[in-house]
Amino acid sequence: MILLFINMLMSLNLSISNFDLDKTGEFQKGAFVSNSDTLNYQILLPIGFDSKKKYPLVLFLHGSGERGYDNEAQLTHGGDLFTQKSNLVDFPCIALFPQCPPNEMWTNRKKEQGANGPIFSFDVERPLPKSSQLVNQLVDTLSKANYVDASRLYIMGISMGGMGTLEQLYRYPDKYAAAVVICGGHDKTLANKYAQTPIWFFHGGVDDVVPPYLSKDIYDIVKKSNRKSKYTLYRNDNHNSWDSALAEPKLLKRIFKYKSK
């Protein structure tokens, strides 16, 4: 059974290392290879995985502090959400945590220090950074598998990953059924492109790394055409608002109810 599953994944252009069906409900390391490029990731399959069933797929984009080549740090924030016993039972899914290398970001963003705090800009005219291109290819590959429900693809991200989430929504507006953006932001003038996607925004009220307005401004735009989006501000949280957001008891329940058309 294990070899059969590995061969099936290999036929989908996936290179899996140390993958074991006896460890469903746990994260396992993998590597996605496209031409000469490699993207490290960790993947979790639901307990009792059955290749004849269809499961939601959740992509989680980490922040800048978890970049590297160890293929472990990306689970620092968010990994526990999917290995909680209650969530394993109530929300069976495939969770995908890719890792961005140290010299890249999920977006082509620039950060400058202004008089009132940091100023971010995003160059969407340039192609996505290589790692983000590989992430998109990996999701496309997995979404074609019989065991993935292509109408229930979800994307989540914190900080740099929150920015990456919004850029993925901008570039592929019909791909994801719902999204979660934690202490992220992007160019608000692009928000109408993905306004139809339900997004739950989270931010800390005293965030001095990514100012709260960067996500609030986008929410104010998308909510005009999509009442399914939501904004939660933790007034006393700084940049680590992911601690509060990932502890929200209805987080997965809320996003998993959505399906793309």
Side-chain angles (χ1 to χ4, degrees):
M1 179 64 180
I2 295 175
L3 290 176
L4 175 62
F5 188 73
I6 292 176
N7 289 336
M8 180 172 64
L9 289 175
M10 290 290 287
S11 69
L12 292 170
N13 192 31
L14 284 175
S15 176
I16 302 296
S17 62
N18 300 321
F19 197 89
D20 188 348
L21 279 181
D22 293 330
K23 293 184 178 180
T24 58
E26 303 176 22
F27 278 100
Q28 302 180 55
K29 293 181 179 180
F32 177 68
V33 180
S34 177
N35 298 322
S36 59
D37 299 308
T38 300
L39 176 74
N40 288 329
Y41 65 88
Q42 293 231 24
I43 191 169
L44 175 147
L45 297 183
I47 292 176
F49 173 81
D50 183 350
S51 62
K52 295 180 181 179
K53 295 182 179 181
K54 288 186 177 292
Y55 300 95
L57 172 66
V58 184
L59 169 65
F60 193 102
L61 299 180
H62 63 76
S64 60
E66 292 75 61
R67 290 178 292 181
Y69 295 111
D70 63 352
N71 204 6
E72 294 180 359
Q74 72 265 38
L75 296 180
T76 302
H77 306 297
D80 290 349
L81 176 67
F82 295 94
T83 55
Q84 290 177 15
K85 290 184 179 180
S86 59
N87 287 340
L88 285 170
V89 173
D90 295 338
F91 306 104
C93 68
I94 298 171
L96 180 65
F97 279 61
Q99 186 177 37
C100 185
N103 59 335
E104 283 191 24
M105 293 181 290
W106 297 124
T107 64
N108 297 311
R109 70 107 170 126
K110 292 183 179 180
K111 179 180 180 181
E112 299 177 337
Q113 192 62 35
N116 298 316
I119 299 174
F120 292 85
S121 61
F122 301 86
D123 186 354
V124 296
E125 297 300 321
R126 293 169 55 195
L128 281 170
K130 180 60 67 175
S131 293
S132 287
Q133 293 182 40
L134 291 171
V135 165
N136 187 56
Q137 292 176 33
L138 176 55
V139 171
D140 281 349
T141 301
L142 281 169
S143 66
K144 295 175 184 177
N146 292 332
Y147 50 86
V148 172
D149 185 346
S151 71
R152 299 184 69 199
L153 305 181
Y154 307 106
I155 183 169
M156 306 173 65
I158 63 173
S159 192
M160 180 186 79
M163 296 176 180
T165 294
L166 291 170
E167 177 130 352
Q168 290 281 336
L169 293 179
Y170 167 73
R171 293 185 185 251
Y172 314 107
D174 299 320
K175 175 173 289 189
Y176 295 98
V180 174
V181 176
I182 304 172
C183 59
H186 206 268
D187 185 342
K188 66 179 181 180
T189 66
L190 307 175
N192 282 321
K193 183 75 175 289
Y194 51 84
Q196 77 285 352
T197 304
I199 307 171
W200 193 350
F201 296 89
F202 298 92
H203 225 116
V206 291
D207 192 329
D208 56 6
V209 178
V210 180
Y213 75 83
L214 279 179
S215 59
K216 182 61 162 58
D217 286 354
I218 294 175
Y219 168 70
D220 287 341
I221 293 172
V222 301
K223 73 176 181 180
K224 294 177 182 178
S225 56
N226 184 353
R227 294 183 178 273
K228 296 176 181 178
S229 288
K230 183 177 180 180
Y231 189 88
T232 299
L233 181 72
Y234 303 109
R235 296 191 180 280
N236 298 320
D237 281 10
N238 202 306
H239 191 53
N240 64 329
S241 56
W242 53 74
D243 291 333
S244 299
L246 295 172
E248 288 282 349
K250 296 183 179 180
L251 179 60
L252 292 182
K253 182 178 181 180
R254 181 181 177 86
I255 65 169
F256 274 32
K257 70 180 182 180
Y258 296 112
K259 291 186 177 182
S260 57
K261 296 180 181 179

